[in-house]
Amino acid sequence: MEQQQTCSSEEIAEADAKLAKVQLAIEQFKMIKGALIPVLHEVQDIYGYLPEHVLKVVATELNLPLSEIYGVASFYHFFSFTPKGENVIHLCMGTACYIKGAQAVLDRLSTELKVPVQGTTEDNKFTLEATRCLGACGLAPVMTIGEKVHGRLIPNAIPKILNEYK
Amino acid sequence: MKLLTDLDAIRALTQGRLDNRKITGEPAGSIQFRSVMVCGGTGCTSSDSNKIITALEKEVHNHGIQDKVEVVRTGCFGLCELGPVVIVYPEGIFYSCVEVKDIPNLVEQHLLNGKPYDKKIYEKTKQGGEILNFEETDFYKKQVRIALNNCGVIDPEVIDEYIASDGYKALGKVLMTMSRQEVIDTMKQSGLRGRGGGGFNTGLKWEFASKQDKDQKYVICNADEGDPGAFMDRSILEGNPHSVIEAMAIAGYAIGSNQGFIYLRAEYPIAVQRFVKALDQAREYGLLGDNVLGTAFKFNIDVRLGAGAFVCGEETALMHSIEGHRGMPTPKPPFPAVEGLWGQPTIINNVETLANVAQIILNGAQWYASIGTEKSKGTKVFALGGKVVNTGLVEVPMGITLREVIFEIGGGIPDGKKFKAVQTGGPSGGCLTEEHLDCTIDFDTLTSLGSMMGSGGMIIMDEDTCMVDVARFYLDFTKDESCGKCTPCRIGTKRLLEMLDKITEGKGTLDDLVKLENLSVQIKNASLCALGQTAPNPVLSTIKYFRQEYMAHIIDKKCSAGVCKSLISYEIDADLCRGCSLCARKCPTDAITGELKEPYVIDTVACIKCGVCFDVCKFKAVVIV
């Protein structure tokens, strides 16, 4: 499906290395009951999302129908079937953040990035996601970009913060 | 493998460290050793407390005072608003909003010369020229810390410090001196009720599982805190992870289980990392595994990461998720204590519930039962958030009033605004008003008022909050989080949301209000699990206590809080406008026009109500009407 036609040898090596990691994770969890969700966590850790061709491998190895895997993965918000941008923005929409104006911050992010919520920018730099409570209510409204946390946000602070990542 | 005597030896060796972390009141001149505690909870880590620790260690080293000062990364102190927070013992000086650039001065003035570094001392500890220790401030004075007892005191990543703080003593006591039934009786007599939302008696739950005659039983810790606005479980796992491990082992002994699972939120990376580390340490010390503390008791704990489904807080859904399926609830009975994970007897306890267990075993059921009210014993941890001065984590005895929590501990409403409502219990709870401020906080009072304890989020709202919008916000959440299995919840929450959307857009009718109430009651009665049964609570409680606000939206088409975009418009007050043109330059739709140094005007047709002009105006000339 993805990038099949013009793969360089490095890309092929990288793809193989990732798949090898998945195989390792499957080996590790195969013996435990309820292995599917831990394996999906590993796949998403390795790829950043759940690619179809990898899920097919998981299906074979865990001896589960692909439809069941899709049914489970699609149920949970944490799992994604589409690749994310370089920087994933999680804006907290927990109650404390919402009360303190998170919606206006989210609107501003959406305007500045020109993408809807859950969207990825054309240049693949940013993915904008709204999330349920990051558990840092003291810093409300709060968002994470990658690992970095930005707290006490106001809409006007957004352009400057985004510039740090461009 | 460690024996009880080994733990005692570790305790004796490490105890001194903890003794240093007490407020002694000795004169500054005679202080020989200082402990510098830096909050390593999520709130403070987010505001770079790790860099503070590095800078502190470097500076202490530069001055060559390593043997007179220890720098410790602890769990959450609670006052997250003021992070990063640093506390220096034995004086108990509280520094807030500390930055890396403050460190050289702080070290030189306070740690080297014994004079507190005035610039970053928490304002509220300064009274009449004196500096109070932090325990004397309003925020801490009324708190009773049981579940959070080690948060802010020990380094959560060092098992020896937990042991020094009487850690694993309760497990030893249980294994060496108590029968399974005695443990259960102690728990029952303590009156501890589950802190995850249901409020069921913990000892009774254990007893049900204990009486099942099955070879395989399970203990599950529900650490999938999905409530928006609650983070007590996160803070306990980050600040005192061993207390949860110890309690799970005690529960395992009590019900006759050798296997535990912790279902932990993947969105909490620091909690996951610290808990996994604590598990490794406990295994290394032989406090988990075969022959715990040299006895025949065998117990293991495996970690399962949640994947972002709020419904997995419901116990049957949680178990299906551990089994590798979609997290959908099933009808009860059979209750998990009879037929749970993989069909075996299982108990599920929440993190905060478990954090009380070792303390109850150590201090006795009577001690615990003496705190709180008749039917709600002990303490409850609340995540205080929203429009309140001191946001953060507080642990208070049950029976305290809402007013004490919000106005004394929480410091009241910021910016001189007026208190409007308090929401407890997250999406399953309800909003209470000013007239309820003197009500006591306990399971039954909150439920009787149409709210609930829930897991313990407490969100304060001021006059700028629209209650219809708040109800809409929660319904948007529950609609998203409904697993879809049962119709009343799947379709009902969607219909409720549509009606609330209509009202906030100014298109609502009085008929909608009637339908909202009727449908809410039906959803509550007909849903399979607690998610659906409680989803309409925010709607019902806001209609009950703020009906006039719904009426204003429906009849007058007004949102007095100025939140619902369709019902407001922006105008420029000509008297206040200086004609600086900033708003016109920032307006994304060129809806603002005017001449420099003359009042500007907003074209309400072109205006998309983004509020940028309101935000940027330095003269408060842009007003919401």
Side-chain angles (χ1 to χ4, degrees), chain B residues 201-242:
Chain B
N201 183 294
T202 304
L204 214 52
K205 193 189 261 187
W206 291 14
E207 189 165 53
F208 287 144
S210 146
K211 290 204 167 137
Q212 300 302 311
D213 187 20
K214 288 273 180 68
D215 290 340
Q216 184 64 61
K217 298 178 188 177
Y218 297 107
V219 173
I220 297 177
C221 170
N222 178 359
D224 189 50
E225 184 172 64
D227 263 35
F231 55 102
M232 56 285 297
D233 292 351
R234 165 175 214 162
S235 297
I236 291 169
L237 292 167
E238 287 173 0
N240 201 11
H242 284 286

Side-chain angles (χ1 to χ4, degrees), chain A:
Chain A
M1 190 171 71
E2 62 259 354
Q3 34 142 336
Q4 305 270 309
Q5 283 118 18
T6 53
C7 285
S8 66
S9 57
E10 290 90 21
E11 278 168 338
I12 293 169
E14 199 192 319
D16 285 349
K18 282 184 175 175
L19 210 54
K21 273 193 189 171
V22 172
Q23 295 283 9
L24 205 69
I26 294 173
E27 281 311 309
Q28 186 195 337
F29 289 110
K30 212 173 182 175
M31 303 316 288
I32 67 161
K33 285 175 170 179
L36 176 58
I37 294 174
V39 167
L40 292 179
H41 270 294
E42 291 286 333
V43 173
Q44 180 142 310
D45 235 21
I46 295 162
Y47 288 87
Y49 72 111
L50 304 177
E52 192 180 328
H53 69 278
V54 182
L55 291 185
K56 282 180 181 158
V57 176
V58 173
T60 318
E61 295 289 327
L62 294 183
N63 201 15
L64 290 169
L66 191 60
S67 60
E68 189 180 326
I69 293 180
Y70 178 79
V72 170
S74 63
F75 182 81
Y76 296 98
H77 301 299
F78 197 75
F79 297 128
S80 164
F81 296 109
T82 48
K84 304 270 170 83
E86 247 169 77
N87 303 290
V88 180
I89 303 174
H90 281 120
L91 182 92
C92 181
M93 284 292 270
T95 324
C97 288
Y98 185 75
I99 295 289
K100 285 197 163 177
Q103 184 68 52
V105 177
L106 184 65
D107 291 347
R108 188 62 178 268
L109 278 165
S110 185
T111 317
E112 292 290 330
L113 295 170
K114 300 186 182 69
V115 287
V117 178
Q118 313 302 344
T120 299
T121 54
E122 251 174 49
D123 60 1
N124 217 27
K125 275 266 181 198
F126 294 98
T127 297
L128 176 60
E129 297 193 344
T131 176
R132 299 299 188 187
C133 204
L134 294 165
C137 311
L139 303 173
V142 58
M143 68 174 174
T144 55
I145 303 184
E147 301 274 293
K148 174 106 173 104
V149 180
H150 300 267
R152 301 185 185 103
L153 297 170
I154 50 166
N156 279 344
I158 296 303
K160 201 176 153 212
I161 294 173
L162 291 179
N163 265 334
E164 290 173 31
Y165 296 85
K166 274 176 185 163

